[in-house]
Amino acid sequence: MKQSKLFTKTRRETPKDEIAKNAQLLIRAGFINKEMAGVYSYLPLGLKVLKKIENIIREEINAIGGQELLMSSLHPKENWEKTGRWDSLDVLYKVTDSLERENALGPTHEEIVVPLAKPFISSYRDLPFSVYHFQNKFRKEVRAKSGILRGREFIMKDLYSFHSTKEDFEEYYQKAKEAYINIFDRVGIGELTHIAFASGGSFSKYSHEFQTISSTGEDVIYICKKCSVAINKEIIDKQKECPECEGDDFEEKKSIEVGNIFDLKTKFSDPFGLEYKDIDGNRKPVLMGCYGIGLGRVLGTIVETLSDDKGIIWPKSVAPFRVHLLSLDQNQKSKEIYDDLIKKGIEVLFDDREGVSAGEKFKDSDLIGIPYRIIISEKSLKSGGVELKKRNEDKSDIIKIEEIISKID
Ligand code: ATP
Ligand code: MG
């Protein structure tokens, strides 16, 4: 992509109505646009990152047998009345059309997925299976001050699993936990992310959250010094020792909940009469699990935790481009190198803008945060090649043009 053609531009000034670092940096660098409080659009750079996160999640969820579908955003009121959540869920957006028909804008999809699955389940032989989608959710969040970490409209991956026995559910739950560990590792926040025990609501003892340590997080967790599993502050009063290893020495940290996994038992099967026939012909309720990850929440968490005072530092796995190629008045030579890199399948943002100073190009490059920067200047060419600098390191090297591929792969 040529930067001269990119319709978005970087901004020097911090948006006045944003207090969250993730939104400030992402808006300044041209990744997102704020439409109103808690509502953001993804611009070309932001969408590239979002799609990379989405693909990593897709690969890991497919690997545990998840079948991708796409459920609707507009939900029938009756489904929400059936579970009692039409009245009890305070974040639910209700919309009325010109014929006075009421619908919900989906904040989550149990009310759709359970009736959707019902006609396909009659016997234990139809189980287990799991389905998931990536989709916009709508919630009337009261606090929408954390940028894309807490949106009123946001994209979630939600996975739902269906089982006949507790053992089968538990085996899948364990697999989902491992898939989540892989996902957070692969997007670059694995080292900062802890599995945390949280309250399971009224149906099970615990749920598990994936909590990423960040000074700007809204949650507080207690990390066990022995096994590094954590407990959410909301349950710590009832839980004096680590549920994993019985350790009793904890470290308090602020954190961001990037994902969670939940044992639903028969909470949603019951209201919809979701049952199967067991091997003896007895009718039993289907057991369910649900597993969520907020894509924008993950993207925002990467920015919160991995940026510096100059801008964003993207991990290679989710960076919008691998290479930021900066031409300092050397557009012809740079264009040759750009074409060659593109031919070799490397994703490159080529700063070919004319009349923009070297200083401005460096500042923009730091702000946008692409992992490798290649600078082509008269000076570099005279010293035999191009200058290569990693976004997360201060030093730079002069390398030969032929060496570029091996240095960035
Ligand atoms: P929270 O405790 O942060 O309000 P939650 O427990 O209600 O979230 P779920 O309904 O289980 O979250 O959603 C699953 C995942 O979706 C969360 O782990 C988080 O990553 C993401 N998520 C939830 N609410 C939002 C939001 N308002 N904006 C962006 N992502 C969100
Ligand atoms: Mg939560």
Side-chain angles (χ1 to χ4, degrees), residues 209 211 219 232 257 260:
E209 296 171 340
Q211 294 276 2
D219 287 13
N232 193 307
E257 180 198 311
N260 63 24

Side-chain angles (χ1 to χ4, degrees), residues 220-327:
V220 175
I221 54 167
Y222 291 86
I223 302 165
C224 172
K225 287 188 181 165
K226 213 161 130 194
C227 72
S228 98
V229 156
I231 307 175
N232 193 307
K233 185 181 167 70
E234 288 165 5
I235 68 159
I236 192 83
D237 290 337
K238 288 176 236 140
Q239 189 67 42
K240 295 291 177 215
E241 56 185 34
C242 173
E244 191 77 12
C245 73
E246 295 173 6
D248 57 5
D249 196 7
F250 297 101
E251 194 185 2
E252 186 186 292
K253 289 276 183 194
K254 281 189 171 181
S255 61
I256 301 167
E257 180 198 311
V258 284
N260 63 24
I261 58 177
F262 225 94
D263 177 0
L264 292 175
K265 296 200 160 61
T266 61
K267 181 174 178 179
F268 294 95
S269 307
D270 288 340
F272 290 102
L274 181 69
E275 294 176 334
Y276 71 98
K277 265 197 202 132
D278 73 7
I279 199 156
D280 304 314
N282 302 316
R283 300 193 72 82
K284 291 190 172 153
V286 173
L287 302 177
M288 287 181 63
C290 77
Y291 316 80
I293 296 181
L295 275 68
R297 177 87 57 97
V298 169
L299 197 155
T301 299
I302 293 170
V303 176
E304 289 287 339
T305 55
L306 303 181
S307 57
D308 63 15
D309 54 0
K310 296 189 203 118
I312 306 168
I313 304 177
W314 294 109
K316 282 178 218 155
S317 58
V318 300
F321 296 91
R322 176 162 286 247
V323 173
H324 202 172
L325 185 69
L326 270 51
S327 164

Side-chain angles (χ1 to χ4, degrees), residues 107-108 139 141 143 147-157 209-210 218-219 257-260 262 290-298:
T108 175
R139 294 186 186 180
E141 298 279 4
R143 303 166 289 171
I148 59 169
L149 297 179
R150 185 172 294 287
R152 298 203 163 109
E153 176 179 353
F154 60 97
I155 302 169
M156 195 200 286
K157 183 282 299 169
E209 296 171 340
F210 288 75
E218 288 180 5
D219 287 13
E257 180 198 311
V258 284
N260 63 24
F262 225 94
C290 77
Y291 316 80
I293 296 181
L295 275 68
R297 177 87 57 97
V298 169

Side-chain angles (χ1 to χ4, degrees), residues 84-134:
R85 295 209 285 184
W86 180 261
D87 293 318
S88 69
L89 195 68
D90 51 358
V91 297
L92 190 66
Y93 273 107
K94 298 171 182 175
V95 290
T96 310
D97 68 14
S98 57
L99 296 172
E100 298 293 310
R101 282 179 302 227
E102 285 184 299
N103 293 119
L105 280 179
T108 175
H109 276 68
E110 287 84 359
E111 275 78 355
I112 295 292
V113 79
V114 175
L116 182 155
K118 195 175 169 178
F120 302 107
I121 302 173
S122 53
S123 115
Y124 67 94
R125 287 191 203 88
D126 300 320
L127 296 166
F129 67 89
S130 55
V131 298
Y132 74 102
H133 67 166
F134 296 94

